[in-house]
Amino acid sequence: MTVTAEDDPTPPEPPRRRTRALLPDLAPWRSSRDFRLMWTAGLVTAFGSFLTMVALPLQIKELTGSAVAVGAIGAVELVPLIVFGLYGGALADAVDRRKLILATEAGLGLLSVLLLVNSLLPDPMLWPLYVVAALTSALMGLQRPAIDAVVARIVPHDQLTAAAALNSMRWQLSAIAGPSLAGVVVAYAGLPLAYGLDLLTFIASLVLSLGLTPAPPAHDADPPSLRAIGEGARYAWRRKELLGTYAVDMAAMFFAFPNAIFPFLADDLDAPWALGLMYAAGSVGSVAVSATSGWTSRIHRHGRMVVLGAAVWGLAMAAAGWLSNVWLVLLCLAVAGGGDMVSGLFRATIWNQTIPHKFRGRLAGIELLSYATGPQLGQVRAGTTAGLTGARAAVWSGGLACVASVALLALALPRLMAYDARTDEHARAVRAAAPHP
């Protein structure tokens, strides 16, 4: 029998509901006071951090005139991030995460004081800038696992994807507006004001964080140690779907993160004026996905979306390297940013929905390594390849290598592709144990 629209018992979805499905899901903001506090504190801190991110290398350039000296910032930041990221993960499982967040936020504020004082000296010194960069990286390594680990305690289980989207949108908006504001402040008001504003943002963030609910460790938590870190790594290795999320992210960033060669790509396209737009395009695409992320709560096959998003990232980067029209290149970079955001949202959802409370900090530390070291290594790959083949070839070949590697990982790790939040045993266990804010 043919069913007509009049006979269909399921009415069509109202236009208003379809529209809401494209808007960001604000349920975590409405349901959790702690999430509102953390989100606002993170937004304030991000703007301040971008001020320093622009001001610090500029000050080193002014003091030395050396591109090598400026580039050395990345070298002094990487090792502390790795070491303290792993230790910070173990520490976040062993202490009250709220206290850890407060302590590290206060420490970051003190480092802003050092930068401010040094910038006010008649002859600012160079070495404190590197020391502060290294210490900032260490404190971020200690803090980030605690922040990531606490989300699942303050947001209902079924709202974790929405929380990841809101957090990503906060960061991407800061990544677009922060550097622009920083450029104006540094150019017209000077370095001391930039460092002073960063200090004020840390004070504001610290005040907001004081209102967070205590987040004590599990009663059987292990003290922070190499053994505890190793236990977390072994747990991640046993969970092949988790291993897949780390591996896909590392592969995507290693092969297809060409930011270091954007200046050369802009020259090849005879469009040096587009350099700033190239750096911003990925964030624009990411914000577009975050701002229309209501649909993500309906997805349950999260592993497939991790792979799909990474593949889109690689394909769009390949197209960006192949095309010669600068506007099409910028469009491809924006699409790449959107694909990366899709992959990132569902990676975060798998992590938050399936990792037990006692391991959450240590796994957040491993996660920190996966998304912090991948782009660093990717910049090295892109620069080396560009030196041998040219900038455009380095971009498109890296994009294709990303797609191929992601496809191989999907075949090698079927647990990732088979993951379903509705039936996964780990997701069910974490859901059952999740507190309700």
Side-chain angles (χ1 to χ4, degrees), residues 139-154:
L139 286 174
M140 291 298 295
L142 290 174
Q143 183 189 72
R144 184 58 185 266
I147 291 177
D148 289 346
V150 84
V151 171
R153 289 180 62 93
I154 64 176

Side-chain angles (χ1 to χ4, degrees), residues 231-247:
E231 185 182 2
R234 287 190 294 273
Y235 175 82
W237 181 260
R238 293 193 300 269
R239 294 278 310 281
K240 300 306 181 187
E241 68 277 21
L242 285 181
L243 190 64
T245 65
Y246 300 135

Side-chain angles (χ1 to χ4, degrees), residues 282-304:
S283 293
V284 171
S286 296
V287 168
V289 170
S290 298
T292 57
S293 59
W295 59 272
T296 59
S297 297
R298 301 180 178 183
I299 303 298
H300 305 287
R301 299 275 190 168
H302 300 147
R304 295 181 181 182

Side-chain angles (χ1 to χ4, degrees), residues 2-290:
T2 302
V3 178
T4 65
E6 291 79 6
D7 298 325
D8 188 352
T10 304
E13 191 175 9
R16 182 177 298 178
R17 184 176 299 174
R18 292 198 298 269
T19 301
R20 285 201 302 266
L22 291 176
L23 297 176
D25 186 352
L26 301 179
W29 181 274
R30 292 191 295 265
S31 65
S32 173
R33 171 182 172 274
D34 279 350
F35 182 80
R36 293 194 296 273
L37 288 172
M38 284 189 61
W39 195 93
T40 307
L43 180 66
V44 171
T45 300
F47 273 102
S49 297
F50 276 111
L51 285 169
T52 295
M53 187 189 76
V54 172
L56 186 62
L58 178 61
Q59 187 173 18
I60 293 177
K61 176 180 177 293
E62 290 179 351
L63 292 175
T64 67
S66 168
V68 174
V70 174
I73 296 176
V76 302
E77 290 176 337
L78 183 57
V79 173
L81 184 64
I82 293 173
V83 174
F84 286 91
L86 287 173
Y87 181 74
L91 192 62
D93 282 337
V95 303
D96 188 315
R97 290 165 186 163
R98 172 182 176 273
K99 292 180 180 179
L100 182 55
I101 292 170
L102 291 173
T104 50
E105 197 74 0
L108 290 167
L110 289 176
L111 293 178
S112 293
V113 172
L114 295 179
L115 289 175
L116 174 60
V117 171
N118 184 61
S119 69
L120 292 172
L121 295 175
D123 296 305
M125 296 178 287
L126 177 63
W127 65 266
L129 304 182
Y130 291 110
V131 172
V132 168
L135 291 175
T136 297
S137 185
L139 286 174
M140 291 298 295
L142 290 174
Q143 183 189 72
R144 184 58 185 266
I147 291 177
D148 289 346
V150 84
V151 171
R153 289 180 62 93
I154 64 176
V155 174
H157 189 81
D158 60 350
Q159 296 175 12
L160 288 171
T161 303
L166 291 174
N167 283 334
S168 297
M169 183 168 61
R170 177 200 69 201
W171 193 92
Q172 295 294 345
L173 288 172
S174 301
I176 295 172
S180 302
L181 174 63
V184 173
V185 170
V186 171
Y188 292 99
L191 294 166
L193 181 60
Y195 293 139
L197 290 175
D198 190 19
L199 173 60
L200 291 178
T201 64
F202 279 118
I203 294 174
S205 176
L206 184 62
V207 171
L208 289 168
S209 299
L210 285 170
L212 293 174
T213 304
H219 68 278
D220 57 348
D222 296 320
S225 64
L226 289 176
R227 186 186 66 81
I229 294 172
E231 185 182 2
R234 287 190 294 273
Y235 175 82
W237 181 260
R238 293 193 300 269
R239 294 278 310 281
K240 300 306 181 187
E241 68 277 21
L242 285 181
L243 190 64
T245 65
Y246 300 135
V248 167
D249 186 37
M250 286 286 291
M253 293 298 104
F254 176 75
F255 287 112
F257 190 81
N259 287 27
I261 60 173
F262 278 168
F264 303 96
L265 180 61
D267 288 344
D268 283 357
L269 297 172
D270 195 26
W273 53 268
L275 178 60
L277 296 177
M278 288 182 179
Y279 284 113
S283 293
V284 171
S286 296
V287 168
V289 170
S290 298

